Amino acid sequence: MERTTFPLDLLTAQTRATAAYQALAVPRPVHTAALRRALIRWESAVHYHPYWSCPRPAGGRADLRLAARAELARRAREETAA
Protein backbone atom coordinates (compact mmCIF):
# COMPACT_ATOMS: atom_id res chain seq x y z
CA MET A 1 0.00 0.00 0.00
CA GLU A 2 1.33 3.38 -0.98
CA ARG A 3 1.79 5.93 1.81
CA THR A 4 0.92 9.57 1.28
CA THR A 5 2.00 12.65 3.16
CA PHE A 6 -1.53 14.09 3.13
CA PRO A 7 -3.47 14.46 6.39
CA LEU A 8 -6.19 11.84 6.77
CA ASP A 9 -9.01 14.39 6.89
CA LEU A 10 -7.81 15.99 3.66
CA LEU A 11 -7.56 12.62 1.90
CA THR A 12 -11.01 11.67 3.20
CA ALA A 13 -12.53 14.92 1.92
CA GLN A 14 -10.97 14.44 -1.52
CA THR A 15 -12.10 10.79 -1.61
CA ARG A 16 -15.67 11.82 -0.81
CA ALA A 17 -15.58 14.61 -3.41
CA THR A 18 -14.31 12.16 -6.01
CA ALA A 19 -17.04 9.66 -5.11
CA ALA A 20 -19.72 12.37 -5.42
CA TYR A 21 -18.30 13.43 -8.78
CA GLN A 22 -18.29 9.84 -10.04
CA ALA A 23 -21.90 9.39 -8.88
CA LEU A 24 -22.89 12.50 -10.86
CA ALA A 25 -20.99 11.33 -13.94
CA VAL A 26 -23.15 8.25 -14.57
CA PRO A 27 -25.98 8.49 -17.10
CA ARG A 28 -29.19 9.66 -15.41
CA PRO A 29 -27.87 10.05 -11.86
CA VAL A 30 -30.30 9.86 -8.96
CA HIS A 31 -30.54 12.59 -6.29
CA THR A 32 -28.50 15.08 -8.29
CA ALA A 33 -29.22 18.04 -6.00
CA ALA A 34 -27.91 16.16 -2.96
CA LEU A 35 -24.89 14.97 -4.90
CA ARG A 36 -24.10 18.51 -6.07
CA ARG A 37 -24.34 19.83 -2.52
CA ALA A 38 -22.05 17.04 -1.31
CA LEU A 39 -19.58 17.76 -4.11
CA ILE A 40 -19.48 21.46 -3.25
CA ARG A 41 -19.12 20.72 0.47
CA TRP A 42 -16.21 18.29 0.03
CA GLU A 43 -14.44 20.34 -2.65
CA SER A 44 -14.63 23.37 -0.33
CA ALA A 45 -13.20 21.30 2.51
CA VAL A 46 -10.27 20.34 0.26
CA HIS A 47 -9.72 23.83 -1.10
CA TYR A 48 -9.75 25.59 2.29
CA HIS A 49 -7.87 22.91 4.23
CA PRO A 50 -5.00 24.31 6.37
CA TYR A 51 -2.60 21.92 4.59
CA TRP A 52 -2.50 24.33 1.64
CA SER A 53 -1.70 27.41 3.78
CA CYS A 54 2.07 26.98 3.51
CA PRO A 55 3.85 26.54 0.17
CA ARG A 56 3.56 23.03 -1.23
CA PRO A 57 5.33 21.45 -4.19
CA ALA A 58 3.75 21.76 -7.59
CA GLY A 59 1.35 18.97 -8.40
CA GLY A 60 0.14 18.51 -4.83
CA ARG A 61 -3.53 18.70 -5.78
CA ALA A 62 -3.03 16.23 -8.62
CA ASP A 63 -1.24 13.86 -6.25
CA LEU A 64 -4.13 14.20 -3.82
CA ARG A 65 -6.67 13.35 -6.53
CA LEU A 66 -4.62 10.32 -7.55
CA ALA A 67 -4.42 9.15 -3.94
CA ALA A 68 -8.20 9.53 -3.59
CA ARG A 69 -8.84 7.56 -6.78
CA ALA A 70 -6.50 4.83 -5.56
CA GLU A 71 -8.41 4.71 -2.26
CA LEU A 72 -11.74 4.37 -4.08
CA ALA A 73 -10.32 1.62 -6.30
CA ARG A 74 -9.01 -0.23 -3.24
CA ARG A 75 -12.44 -0.03 -1.60
CA ALA A 76 -14.12 -1.31 -4.75
CA ARG A 77 -11.72 -4.27 -4.90
CA GLU A 78 -12.44 -5.09 -1.24
CA GLU A 79 -16.20 -4.96 -1.86
CA THR A 80 -16.00 -7.31 -4.83
CA ALA A 81 -13.72 -9.70 -2.96
CA ALA A 82 -16.07 -9.91 0.02
Side-chain angles (χ1 to χ4, degrees):
M1 182 172 150
E2 187 175 310
R3 294 280 179 186
T4 63
T5 59
F6 299 110
L8 183 59
D9 60 334
L10 178 60
L11 182 59
T12 300
Q14 182 63 53
T15 302
R16 290 179 178 172
T18 302
Y21 182 81
Q22 288 175 349
L24 280 168
V26 299
R28 296 183 185 262
V30 179
H31 307 294
T32 56
L35 287 171
R36 286 188 195 123
R37 283 192 301 270
L39 180 60
I40 291 169
R41 180 177 57 246
W42 294 116
E43 285 291 341
S44 295
V46 170
H47 183 75
Y48 293 108
H49 194 278
Y51 178 80
W52 307 115
S53 63
C54 57
R56 298 290 174 195
R61 302 238 178 185
D63 291 340
L64 178 61
R65 283 192 300 274
L66 289 174
R69 288 183 194 137
E71 177 65 20
L72 287 173
R74 184 189 62 78
R75 289 181 188 173
R77 282 192 309 271
E78 286 178 355
E79 288 176 5
T80 57

Coordinates of all heavy atoms in Angstrom, one line a residue:
M1 N 0.8 -1.2 0.0 CA 0.0 0.0 0.0 C 0.9 1.2 0.0 O 1.8 1.3 0.7 CB -0.9 0.0 1.2 CG -1.8 1.1 1.3 SD -3.0 0.8 2.7 CE -3.3 2.5 3.1
E2 N 0.5 2.2 -0.8 CA 1.3 3.4 -1.0 C 1.0 4.4 0.1 O -0.2 4.6 0.4 CB 1.0 4.0 -2.3 CG 1.9 5.2 -2.7 CD 1.6 5.6 -4.1 OE1 1.6 4.8 -5.0 OE2 1.5 6.8 -4.2
R3 N 2.0 4.9 0.7 CA 1.8 5.9 1.8 C 1.8 7.3 1.2 O 2.6 7.6 0.3 CB 2.9 5.8 2.9 CG 2.9 4.6 3.6 CD 1.8 4.6 4.7 NE 1.8 3.4 5.4 CZ 0.9 3.1 6.3 NH1 0.0 4.0 6.6 NH2 0.9 2.0 7.0
T4 N 0.9 8.2 1.7 CA 0.9 9.6 1.3 C 1.3 10.5 2.4 O 1.2 10.1 3.6 CB -0.5 10.0 0.8 OG1 -1.4 9.9 1.9 CG2 -0.9 9.1 -0.4
T5 N 1.7 11.7 2.1 CA 2.0 12.6 3.2 C 0.8 13.6 3.5 O 1.0 14.5 4.2 CB 3.2 13.5 2.7 OG1 2.8 14.2 1.5 CG2 4.4 12.7 2.5
F6 N -0.4 13.3 2.9 CA -1.5 14.1 3.1 C -2.2 13.7 4.5 O -2.2 12.6 4.8 CB -2.5 13.9 2.0 CG -2.0 14.3 0.7 CD1 -1.7 13.3 -0.3 CD2 -1.8 15.6 0.4 CE1 -1.3 13.7 -1.5 CE2 -1.3 16.0 -0.9 CZ -1.0 15.0 -1.8
P7 N -2.7 14.7 5.2 CA -3.5 14.5 6.4 C -4.7 13.6 6.1 O -5.3 13.7 5.0 CB -3.9 15.8 6.9 CG -3.0 16.8 6.2 CD -2.6 16.2 4.9
L8 N -5.1 12.8 7.0 CA -6.2 11.8 6.8 C -7.5 12.6 6.5 O -8.2 12.1 5.6 CB -6.4 10.9 8.0 CG -7.4 9.9 7.9 CD1 -7.1 8.9 6.7 CD2 -7.5 9.0 9.1
D9 N -7.8 13.7 7.2 CA -9.0 14.4 6.9 C -9.0 15.0 5.5 O -10.1 15.1 4.8 CB -9.3 15.4 8.0 CG -8.2 16.5 8.1 OD1 -7.1 16.2 7.8 OD2 -8.5 17.6 8.6
L10 N -7.9 15.4 5.0 CA -7.8 16.0 3.7 C -8.0 14.9 2.6 O -8.8 15.1 1.7 CB -6.5 16.7 3.4 CG -6.2 17.3 2.1 CD1 -7.2 18.3 1.7 CD2 -4.8 17.8 2.0
L11 N -7.4 13.8 2.8 CA -7.6 12.6 1.9 C -9.0 12.1 1.9 O -9.6 11.8 0.9 CB -6.6 11.5 2.2 CG -6.6 10.3 1.3 CD1 -6.3 10.7 -0.1 CD2 -5.6 9.2 1.8
T12 N -9.6 12.1 3.1 CA -11.0 11.7 3.2 C -11.9 12.6 2.5 O -12.8 12.2 1.7 CB -11.4 11.6 4.7 OG1 -10.6 10.6 5.3 CG2 -12.9 11.2 4.8
A13 N -11.7 13.9 2.6 CA -12.5 14.9 1.9 C -12.4 14.8 0.4 O -13.4 14.8 -0.3 CB -12.2 16.3 2.4
Q14 N -11.2 14.6 -0.1 CA -11.0 14.4 -1.5 C -11.6 13.1 -2.0 O -12.2 13.1 -3.1 CB -9.5 14.5 -1.9 CG -9.2 14.3 -3.4 CD -9.8 15.5 -4.2 OE1 -9.5 16.7 -3.9 NE2 -10.5 15.2 -5.2
T15 N -11.5 12.1 -1.2 CA -12.1 10.8 -1.6 C -13.6 10.9 -1.7 O -14.2 10.4 -2.7 CB -11.7 9.7 -0.6 OG1 -10.3 9.6 -0.5 CG2 -12.3 8.4 -1.0
R16 N -14.2 11.6 -0.8 CA -15.7 11.8 -0.8 C -16.1 12.7 -2.0 O -17.1 12.5 -2.6 CB -16.2 12.4 0.5 CG -16.1 11.3 1.6 CD -16.5 11.8 2.9 NE -16.4 10.8 3.9 CZ -16.6 11.0 5.2 NH1 -16.9 12.2 5.7 NH2 -16.5 10.0 6.1
A17 N -15.3 13.7 -2.3 CA -15.6 14.6 -3.4 C -15.5 13.8 -4.7 O -16.3 14.0 -5.6 CB -14.6 15.8 -3.4
T18 N -14.5 13.0 -4.8 CA -14.3 12.2 -6.0 C -15.5 11.2 -6.2 O -16.0 11.0 -7.3 CB -13.0 11.4 -6.0 OG1 -11.9 12.4 -5.9 CG2 -12.8 10.6 -7.2
A19 N -15.9 10.6 -5.1 CA -17.0 9.7 -5.1 C -18.3 10.4 -5.5 O -19.1 9.8 -6.3 CB -17.2 9.0 -3.8
A20 N -18.5 11.6 -5.0 CA -19.7 12.4 -5.4 C -19.6 12.7 -6.9 O -20.7 12.6 -7.6 CB -19.8 13.6 -4.6
Y21 N -18.5 13.1 -7.4 CA -18.3 13.4 -8.8 C -18.6 12.2 -9.7 O -19.3 12.3 -10.7 CB -16.9 14.0 -9.0 CG -16.7 14.4 -10.5 CD1 -17.1 15.6 -10.9 CD2 -16.0 13.5 -11.4 CE1 -16.9 15.9 -12.3 CE2 -15.9 13.9 -12.7 CZ -16.3 15.1 -13.1 OH -16.1 15.4 -14.4
Q22 N -18.1 11.1 -9.3 CA -18.3 9.8 -10.0 C -19.8 9.5 -10.0 O -20.3 9.0 -11.1 CB -17.4 8.7 -9.5 CG -16.0 8.8 -9.8 CD -15.1 7.8 -9.1 OE1 -15.6 7.0 -8.3 NE2 -13.9 7.7 -9.5
A23 N -20.5 9.7 -8.9 CA -21.9 9.4 -8.9 C -22.7 10.3 -9.8 O -23.7 9.9 -10.4 CB -22.4 9.5 -7.4
L24 N -22.2 11.6 -9.9 CA -22.9 12.5 -10.9 C -22.6 12.2 -12.3 O -23.3 12.6 -13.2 CB -22.5 13.9 -10.5 CG -23.2 14.6 -9.4 CD1 -22.5 15.9 -9.0 CD2 -24.6 14.9 -9.7
A25 N -21.5 11.5 -12.6 CA -21.0 11.3 -13.9 C -21.7 10.2 -14.6 O -21.6 10.1 -15.9 CB -19.5 11.1 -13.9
V26 N -22.5 9.4 -13.9 CA -23.1 8.2 -14.6 C -24.3 8.8 -15.4 O -24.9 9.8 -15.0 CB -23.6 7.2 -13.5 CG1 -22.4 6.6 -12.8 CG2 -24.6 7.8 -12.6
P27 N -24.8 8.1 -16.4 CA -26.0 8.5 -17.1 C -27.2 8.5 -16.2 O -27.4 7.5 -15.4 CB -26.1 7.5 -18.2 CG -24.8 6.8 -18.3 CD -24.2 6.9 -17.0
R28 N -28.0 9.5 -16.2 CA -29.2 9.7 -15.4 C -29.0 9.4 -13.9 O -29.5 8.5 -13.3 CB -30.3 8.7 -15.9 CG -30.7 9.1 -17.3 CD -31.9 8.2 -17.7 NE -32.2 8.4 -19.1 CZ -33.3 9.2 -19.5 NH1 -34.0 9.8 -18.6 NH2 -33.5 9.4 -20.8
P29 N -28.1 10.2 -13.3 CA -27.9 10.0 -11.9 C -29.1 10.3 -11.0 O -30.0 11.1 -11.4 CB -26.8 11.1 -11.6 CG -26.9 12.1 -12.6 CD -27.4 11.4 -13.8
V30 N -29.2 9.7 -9.9 CA -30.3 9.9 -9.0 C -29.9 10.8 -7.9 O -28.7 10.8 -7.5 CB -30.7 8.5 -8.4 CG1 -31.8 8.6 -7.4 CG2 -31.0 7.5 -9.5
H31 N -30.8 11.6 -7.4 CA -30.5 12.6 -6.3 C -29.4 13.6 -6.7 O -28.5 13.8 -5.9 CB -30.2 11.9 -5.0 CG -31.2 10.8 -4.6 ND1 -32.4 11.1 -4.2 CD2 -31.0 9.5 -4.5 CE1 -33.1 10.0 -3.9 NE2 -32.3 9.0 -4.1
T32 N -29.6 14.2 -7.8 CA -28.5 15.1 -8.3 C -28.3 16.3 -7.4 O -27.2 16.7 -7.2 CB -28.8 15.5 -9.7 OG1 -30.1 16.2 -9.8 CG2 -28.7 14.4 -10.7
A33 N -29.4 16.8 -6.9 CA -29.2 18.0 -6.0 C -28.4 17.7 -4.8 O -27.5 18.5 -4.4 CB -30.6 18.6 -5.6
A34 N -28.7 16.6 -4.1 CA -27.9 16.2 -3.0 C -26.5 15.9 -3.3 O -25.5 16.2 -2.6 CB -28.6 14.9 -2.3
L35 N -26.3 15.3 -4.5 CA -24.9 15.0 -4.9 C -24.1 16.2 -5.2 O -22.9 16.4 -4.9 CB -24.9 14.1 -6.1 CG -25.3 12.6 -5.9 CD1 -25.5 11.9 -7.2 CD2 -24.2 11.9 -5.1
R36 N -24.8 17.2 -5.8 CA -24.1 18.5 -6.1 C -23.7 19.2 -4.8 O -22.6 19.8 -4.7 CB -25.0 19.4 -6.9 CG -25.1 19.0 -8.4 CD -25.8 20.0 -9.2 NE -26.2 19.5 -10.5 CZ -27.4 19.4 -10.9 NH1 -28.4 19.9 -10.2 NH2 -27.7 18.8 -12.1
R37 N -24.6 19.2 -3.8 CA -24.3 19.8 -2.5 C -23.2 19.1 -1.8 O -22.3 19.8 -1.3 CB -25.6 19.8 -1.6 CG -26.6 20.8 -2.0 CD -27.7 20.9 -0.9 NE -28.4 19.7 -0.6 CZ -29.5 19.3 -1.2 NH1 -30.0 20.1 -2.1 NH2 -30.1 18.2 -0.9
A38 N -23.2 17.8 -1.9 CA -22.0 17.0 -1.3 C -20.7 17.4 -2.0 O -19.7 17.6 -1.4 CB -22.3 15.6 -1.4
L39 N -20.8 17.5 -3.3 CA -19.6 17.8 -4.1 C -19.0 19.1 -3.7 O -17.8 19.3 -3.5 CB -19.9 17.7 -5.6 CG -18.7 18.0 -6.5 CD1 -17.6 17.0 -6.3 CD2 -19.2 17.9 -8.0
I40 N -19.9 20.1 -3.6 CA -19.5 21.5 -3.2 C -18.9 21.5 -1.8 O -17.9 22.1 -1.6 CB -20.6 22.5 -3.4 CG1 -21.0 22.7 -4.9 CG2 -20.3 23.8 -2.7 CD1 -22.3 23.4 -5.1
R41 N -19.6 20.8 -0.9 CA -19.1 20.7 0.5 C -17.7 20.1 0.6 O -16.8 20.7 1.2 CB -20.1 19.9 1.3 CG -19.7 19.8 2.8 CD -20.7 19.1 3.6 NE -21.0 17.8 3.2 CZ -22.2 17.4 2.7 NH1 -23.2 18.2 2.6 NH2 -22.4 16.1 2.3
W42 N -17.5 19.0 -0.1 CA -16.2 18.3 0.0 C -15.1 19.0 -0.7 O -14.0 19.1 -0.3 CB -16.3 16.8 -0.4 CG -17.2 16.1 0.6 CD1 -18.4 15.5 0.3 CD2 -17.0 15.9 2.0 NE1 -18.9 14.9 1.4 CE2 -18.1 15.1 2.5 CE3 -16.0 16.2 2.8 CZ2 -18.1 14.8 3.8 CZ3 -16.1 15.9 4.2 CH2 -17.1 15.1 4.6
E43 N -15.4 19.6 -1.9 CA -14.4 20.3 -2.6 C -14.0 21.6 -1.9 O -12.9 22.0 -1.9 CB -14.9 20.7 -4.0 CG -15.0 19.6 -5.0 CD -13.6 19.1 -5.4 OE1 -12.6 19.8 -5.3 OE2 -13.5 18.0 -5.9
S44 N -15.0 22.2 -1.2 CA -14.6 23.4 -0.3 C -13.7 23.0 0.8 O -12.8 23.7 1.2 CB -15.9 24.0 0.2 OG -16.7 24.6 -0.8
A45 N -14.0 21.8 1.4 CA -13.2 21.3 2.5 C -11.8 21.1 2.0 O -10.8 21.3 2.8 CB -13.8 20.0 3.1
V46 N -11.6 20.6 0.8 CA -10.3 20.3 0.3 C -9.6 21.7 0.0 O -8.4 21.9 0.3 CB -10.3 19.5 -1.0 CG1 -9.0 19.4 -1.7 CG2 -10.8 18.1 -0.7
H47 N -10.3 22.6 -0.7 CA -9.7 23.8 -1.1 C -9.3 24.7 0.1 O -8.2 25.3 0.0 CB -10.7 24.6 -1.9 CG -10.2 25.9 -2.5 ND1 -9.3 25.9 -3.5 CD2 -10.4 27.2 -2.1 CE1 -9.0 27.2 -3.8 NE2 -9.6 28.0 -2.9
Y48 N -10.1 24.7 1.1 CA -9.7 25.6 2.3 C -9.1 24.9 3.4 O -9.0 25.4 4.5 CB -11.0 26.3 2.8 CG -11.6 27.2 1.8 CD1 -12.7 27.0 1.1 CD2 -10.9 28.4 1.5 CE1 -13.2 27.8 0.1 CE2 -11.4 29.3 0.6 CZ -12.6 29.0 -0.1 OH -13.0 29.9 -1.0
H49 N -8.6 23.7 3.2 CA -7.9 22.9 4.2 C -6.6 23.6 4.6 O -5.8 24.2 3.8 CB -7.6 21.5 3.7 CG -7.2 20.6 4.8 ND1 -5.9 20.5 5.3 CD2 -7.9 19.7 5.5 CE1 -5.8 19.6 6.3 NE2 -7.0 19.1 6.4
P50 N -6.2 23.6 5.9 CA -5.0 24.3 6.4 C -3.7 23.7 5.8 O -2.7 24.4 5.7 CB -5.0 24.1 7.9 CG -6.4 23.8 8.2 CD -7.0 23.2 7.0
Y51 N -3.8 22.5 5.2 CA -2.6 21.9 4.6 C -2.1 22.8 3.5 O -0.8 22.8 3.2 CB -3.0 20.5 4.0 CG -1.9 19.8 3.3 CD1 -0.9 19.1 4.1 CD2 -1.8 19.8 1.9 CE1 0.1 18.5 3.4 CE2 -0.8 19.1 1.3 CZ 0.2 18.4 2.0 OH 1.2 17.8 1.4
W52 N -2.9 23.5 2.8 CA -2.5 24.3 1.6 C -2.0 25.7 2.1 O -1.6 26.5 1.2 CB -3.6 24.5 0.6 CG -4.2 23.2 0.2 CD1 -5.5 22.8 0.4 CD2 -3.6 22.1 -0.5 NE1 -5.7 21.5 -0.1 CE2 -4.5 21.1 -0.7 CE3 -2.3 22.0 -1.1 CZ2 -4.2 19.9 -1.4 CZ3 -2.0 20.8 -1.7 CH2 -3.0 19.8 -1.9
S53 N -2.1 26.1 3.4 CA -1.7 27.4 3.8 C -0.2 27.7 3.6 O 0.2 28.9 3.4 CB -2.1 27.6 5.2 OG -1.4 26.8 6.1
C54 N 0.7 26.7 3.7 CA 2.1 27.0 3.5 C 2.4 26.5 2.1 O 1.7 25.6 1.6 CB 2.9 26.3 4.6 SG 2.7 24.6 4.8
P55 N 3.5 27.0 1.5 CA 3.9 26.5 0.2 C 4.0 25.0 0.1 O 4.7 24.4 0.9 CB 5.2 27.3 -0.1 CG 5.2 28.4 0.9 CD 4.4 28.0 2.1
R56 N 3.5 24.5 -1.0 CA 3.6 23.0 -1.2 C 4.2 22.8 -2.6 O 4.1 23.7 -3.5 CB 2.2 22.4 -1.2 CG 1.5 22.5 0.2 CD 2.2 21.6 1.1 NE 1.6 21.8 2.5 CZ 2.2 21.4 3.6 NH1 3.4 20.8 3.5 NH2 1.6 21.6 4.7
P57 N 4.8 21.7 -2.9 CA 5.3 21.4 -4.2 C 4.3 21.4 -5.3 O 3.1 21.1 -5.0 CB 6.0 20.1 -4.0 CG 5.4 19.4 -2.9 CD 4.9 20.6 -2.0
A58 N 4.7 21.8 -6.5 CA 3.7 21.8 -7.6 C 3.2 20.3 -7.8 O 3.9 19.4 -7.6 CB 4.5 22.2 -8.8
G59 N 2.0 20.3 -8.2 CA 1.4 19.0 -8.4 C 0.7 18.3 -7.2 O 0.3 17.2 -7.2
G60 N 0.7 19.1 -6.1 CA 0.1 18.5 -4.8 C -1.3 18.1 -5.0 O -1.8 17.1 -4.5
R61 N -2.1 19.0 -5.6 CA -3.5 18.7 -5.8 C -3.7 17.5 -6.7 O -4.6 16.7 -6.5 CB -4.2 19.9 -6.3 CG -4.1 21.1 -5.5 CD -5.4 21.6 -5.0 NE -5.1 22.8 -4.1 CZ -6.0 23.4 -3.5 NH1 -7.3 23.0 -3.7 NH2 -5.7 24.4 -2.7
A62 N -2.9 17.4 -7.7 CA -3.0 16.2 -8.6 C -2.7 15.0 -7.9 O -3.3 13.9 -8.0 CB -2.1 16.4 -9.8
D63 N -1.6 15.0 -7.1 CA -1.2 13.9 -6.3 C -2.4 13.5 -5.3 O -2.6 12.3 -5.1 CB 0.0 14.1 -5.5 CG 1.3 14.3 -6.4 OD1 1.2 13.8 -7.5 OD2 2.3 14.8 -5.9
L64 N -3.0 14.5 -4.7 CA -4.1 14.2 -3.8 C -5.3 13.5 -4.6 O -5.9 12.5 -4.1 CB -4.6 15.5 -3.2 CG -5.8 15.4 -2.2 CD1 -5.5 14.5 -1.0 CD2 -6.2 16.8 -1.8
R65 N -5.6 14.0 -5.8 CA -6.7 13.4 -6.5 C -6.3 11.9 -6.9 O -7.1 11.0 -6.8 CB -7.0 14.2 -7.8 CG -7.8 15.4 -7.5 CD -8.3 16.0 -8.8 NE -7.2 16.4 -9.7 CZ -6.6 17.6 -9.7 NH1 -6.9 18.5 -8.8 NH2 -5.7 17.9 -10.6
L66 N -5.1 11.7 -7.2 CA -4.6 10.3 -7.6 C -4.7 9.4 -6.3 O -5.1 8.3 -6.4 CB -3.2 10.3 -8.1 CG -3.0 10.9 -9.5 CD1 -1.5 11.0 -9.9 CD2 -3.7 10.0 -10.5
A67 N -4.3 9.9 -5.2 CA -4.4 9.1 -3.9 C -5.9 8.8 -3.6 O -6.2 7.7 -3.2 CB -3.8 9.9 -2.8
A68 N -6.8 9.8 -3.8 CA -8.2 9.5 -3.6 C -8.8 8.5 -4.5 O -9.5 7.6 -4.1 CB -9.0 10.8 -3.7
R69 N -8.4 8.6 -5.8 CA -8.8 7.6 -6.8 C -8.3 6.2 -6.4 O -9.0 5.2 -6.6 CB -8.4 7.9 -8.2 CG -9.2 9.1 -8.7 CD -8.7 9.4 -10.2 NE -9.2 10.7 -10.5 CZ -8.6 11.6 -11.2 NH1 -7.3 11.4 -11.6 NH2 -9.1 12.8 -11.5
A70 N -7.1 6.1 -6.0 CA -6.5 4.8 -5.6 C -7.3 4.3 -4.4 O -7.5 3.1 -4.3 CB -5.0 5.0 -5.2
E71 N -7.6 5.1 -3.4 CA -8.4 4.7 -2.3 C -9.8 4.2 -2.7 O -10.2 3.1 -2.2 CB -8.6 5.9 -1.3 CG -9.4 5.6 -0.1 CD -8.8 4.5 0.9 OE1 -7.6 4.3 0.8 OE2 -9.5 4.0 1.6
L72 N -10.4 4.8 -3.6 CA -11.7 4.4 -4.1 C -11.6 3.0 -4.8 O -12.4 2.2 -4.7 CB -12.4 5.4 -5.0 CG -12.9 6.6 -4.3 CD1 -13.4 7.7 -5.3 CD2 -14.1 6.3 -3.3
A73 N -10.6 2.9 -5.6 CA -10.3 1.6 -6.3 C -10.0 0.5 -5.3 O -10.5 -0.6 -5.5 CB -9.2 1.8 -7.3
R74 N -9.3 0.8 -4.3 CA -9.0 -0.2 -3.2 C -10.3 -0.7 -2.6 O -10.5 -1.9 -2.3 CB -8.0 0.3 -2.2 CG -7.6 -0.7 -1.1 CD -6.8 0.0 0.0 NE -7.6 1.0 0.7 CZ -8.5 0.7 1.7 NH1 -8.8 -0.5 2.0 NH2 -9.1 1.7 2.3
R75 N -11.2 0.3 -2.2 CA -12.4 0.0 -1.6 C -13.3 -0.9 -2.5 O -14.0 -1.8 -2.1 CB -13.2 1.2 -1.2 CG -12.6 2.0 -0.1 CD -13.3 3.2 0.3 NE -12.7 4.0 1.2 CZ -13.1 5.2 1.6 NH1 -14.2 5.8 1.1 NH2 -12.4 5.9 2.5
A76 N -13.3 -0.5 -3.8 CA -14.1 -1.3 -4.8 C -13.6 -2.7 -4.9 O -14.4 -3.7 -4.9 CB -14.1 -0.6 -6.1
R77 N -12.3 -2.9 -4.9 CA -11.7 -4.3 -4.9 C -12.1 -5.1 -3.7 O -12.4 -6.2 -3.7 CB -10.2 -4.2 -5.0 CG -9.7 -3.9 -6.4 CD -8.2 -4.1 -6.6 NE -7.4 -3.5 -5.6 CZ -6.9 -2.3 -5.6 NH1 -7.2 -1.5 -6.7 NH2 -6.2 -1.8 -4.7
E78 N -12.1 -4.4 -2.5 CA -12.4 -5.1 -1.2 C -13.9 -5.5 -1.2 O -14.2 -6.6 -0.8 CB -12.1 -4.2 0.0 CG -10.7 -4.1 0.3 CD -10.4 -3.1 1.4 OE1 -11.4 -2.5 1.9 OE2 -9.3 -3.0 1.8
E79 N -14.8 -4.6 -1.8 CA -16.2 -5.0 -1.9 C -16.5 -6.1 -2.8 O -17.3 -7.0 -2.5 CB -17.0 -3.8 -2.3 CG -17.1 -2.7 -1.3 CD -17.8 -1.4 -1.8 OE1 -18.4 -1.5 -2.9 OE2 -17.9 -0.4 -1.1
T80 N -15.8 -6.2 -3.9 CA -16.0 -7.3 -4.8 C -15.4 -8.6 -4.3 O -15.9 -9.7 -4.6 CB -15.4 -7.0 -6.2 OG1 -14.0 -6.7 -6.1 CG2 -16.2 -5.8 -6.8
A81 N -14.3 -8.5 -3.5 CA -13.7 -9.7 -3.0 C -14.5 -10.3 -1.8 O -14.5 -11.5 -1.5 CB -12.3 -9.4 -2.5
A82 N -15.3 -9.4 -1.2 CA -16.1 -9.9 0.0 C -17.3 -10.6 -0.4 O -17.8 -10.8 -1.4 CB -16.4 -8.7 0.9

